[in-house]
Amino acid sequence: MTAGPDAPAGQAELEAARLLLARLGVSPSDLLQLGPARPPAPTFAEYVPVVSAAVTDGSRRAYGSYWKRVLEHWPDRRLDEVKPSDIERLVEHVKAHVVVRSNARGGRSAAENLVTALRCLYRRAVADGHLTEAENPASKVAKPQRLPSTRRALPDTRLTEINRVAASTGDDPVLDSLLLRLHTETACRRGGALALRPADLDEEQCLIMLREKGDTVRWQPVSPTLMRHLRQHAEDRHAPSSGQLLRYRDGQPITRRRYDHLWERIGRHLPWVAKQEITTHWCGTQR
């Protein structure tokens, strides 16, 4: 009986196959490379701008400074040349050179953000076919464990001090007081406040629509007083129904820099605010 086509090859057949491959100049490993050869992976200098242009504005703000660090260290290295140990060394470098602040926690946050930024970049590289998921070095590096937040509830007396300074200093106390009131009542993020439009105000039910991180959307109850001031602000500063509600006196939309200036000014008048590095996120946390 002769062997069928699926029967395993004998020793003689294997030797004959090896001899034929040798004469053709082909190695067995060459036969394992199915399909066309993959082109070289791009360098970080070539690929970071591609990813930066593809992500959302929020992701670009969150990861941009860390991608810049990567470009400083590996501009000409190709994506598939970096090993997990390389990333771990860069993480330790970032932790060691983080800007020391009063609430610093050993660079843990910077290390976590760097790993997250690299994971974002490599996910795109896998999706674009520059390497496989098995070759993704960022997925093999653990993020530092996040410590509990040092943020705490602000006592009413402290919040009153903050509002007093905001309402009595600066070039636009009305705007700054409205910002603090909005964040205190709703605990919304800065992005949610900046995305608020006059069309998002439901005066009848005292609700505002907030669009925040991760494309989340929620209807948030507010007090009649806040609703009245939001509507008045939109009318006084000529905010279009589908445009940004919060604006300067000249009608220009405010940016995140307004928050930075506000807290810098409050910190100058209230040293405990600067020392604890209190920001807008604290306003929605009260006792």
Side-chain angles (χ1 to χ4, degrees):
M1 178 182 288
T2 59
D6 296 329
Q11 187 62 33
E13 288 84 353
L14 291 175
E15 290 298 334
R18 291 192 185 98
L19 179 60
L20 176 61
L21 290 175
R23 289 179 176 177
L24 293 174
V26 178
S27 68
S29 61
D30 293 333
L31 301 177
L32 299 177
Q33 297 178 359
L34 303 178
R38 189 173 66 195
T43 64
F44 284 94
E46 294 169 338
Y47 197 62
V48 166
V50 173
V51 176
S52 181
V55 299
T56 63
D57 290 340
S59 295
R60 195 177 303 111
R61 283 192 300 270
Y63 303 147
S65 61
Y66 297 96
W67 288 335
K68 183 178 179 180
R69 292 285 191 93
V70 170
L71 289 176
E72 291 171 356
H73 287 80
W74 304 329
D76 300 321
R77 293 188 69 173
R78 299 192 180 279
L79 300 181
D80 55 1
E81 293 176 339
V82 171
K83 298 179 174 60
S85 58
D86 296 324
I87 295 177
E88 290 165 353
R89 281 195 295 272
L90 182 58
V91 166
E92 291 305 315
H93 176 83
V94 169
K95 287 173 63 177
H97 294 83
V98 71
V99 176
V100 178
R101 296 187 173 90
S102 60
N103 62 350
R105 314 187 80 183
R108 279 177 170 267
S109 179
E112 178 184 357
N113 291 335
L114 174 62
V115 174
T116 303
L118 281 169
R119 287 183 178 181
C120 174
L121 187 143
Y122 271 102
R123 278 198 303 271
R124 298 273 176 170
V126 171
D128 287 343
H130 296 305
L131 66 167
T132 67
E133 182 56 43
E135 297 169 322
N136 180 352
S139 65
K140 300 177 177 66
V141 176
K143 290 195 293 186
Q145 184 176 0
R146 182 174 297 186
L147 298 176
S149 173
T150 58
R151 194 183 308 157
R152 56 182 175 76
L154 285 174
D156 290 340
T157 53
R158 291 301 197 185
L159 191 59
T160 299
E161 290 183 66
I162 290 173
N163 279 280
R164 174 182 56 78
V165 171
S168 59
T169 63
D171 60 358
D172 198 342
V174 173
L175 170 62
D176 293 335
S177 296
L178 181 61
L179 287 177
L180 291 177
R181 181 66 179 266
L182 173 62
H183 287 281
T184 300
E185 282 201 23
T186 68
C188 67
R189 294 175 173 269
R190 291 187 304 179
L194 294 175
L196 187 64
R197 309 169 302 174
D200 297 328
L201 307 182
D202 185 337
E203 295 180 79
E204 181 179 354
Q205 300 183 76
C206 275
L207 297 171
I208 64 174
M209 179 185 287
L210 293 170
R211 294 180 296 281
E212 299 188 284
K213 187 176 181 180
D215 296 326
T216 58
V217 178
R218 62 185 171 101
W219 282 100
Q220 173 66 40
V222 297
S223 67
T225 301
L226 177 56
M227 178 62 73
R228 184 172 65 253
H229 283 296
L230 288 171
R231 175 58 65 188
Q232 190 64 50
H233 180 91
E235 293 175 0
D236 292 345
R237 308 203 174 187
H238 309 291
S241 177
S242 59
Q244 184 175 319
L245 188 151
L246 297 168
R247 294 173 179 262
Y248 294 107
R249 285 198 182 97
D250 63 1
Q252 291 298 311
I254 71 168
T255 67
R256 292 171 180 268
R257 289 298 297 162
R258 185 68 194 185
Y259 289 93
D260 297 337
H261 293 314
L262 171 61
W263 288 106
E264 287 171 6
R265 186 174 77 250
I266 294 174
R268 289 196 299 270
H269 290 269
L270 301 173
W272 58 269
V273 169
K275 186 173 184 178
Q276 297 177 42
E277 296 191 344
I278 291 174
T279 64
T280 305
H281 292 302
W282 295 58
C283 292
T285 309
Q286 293 177 263
R287 280 203 292 263

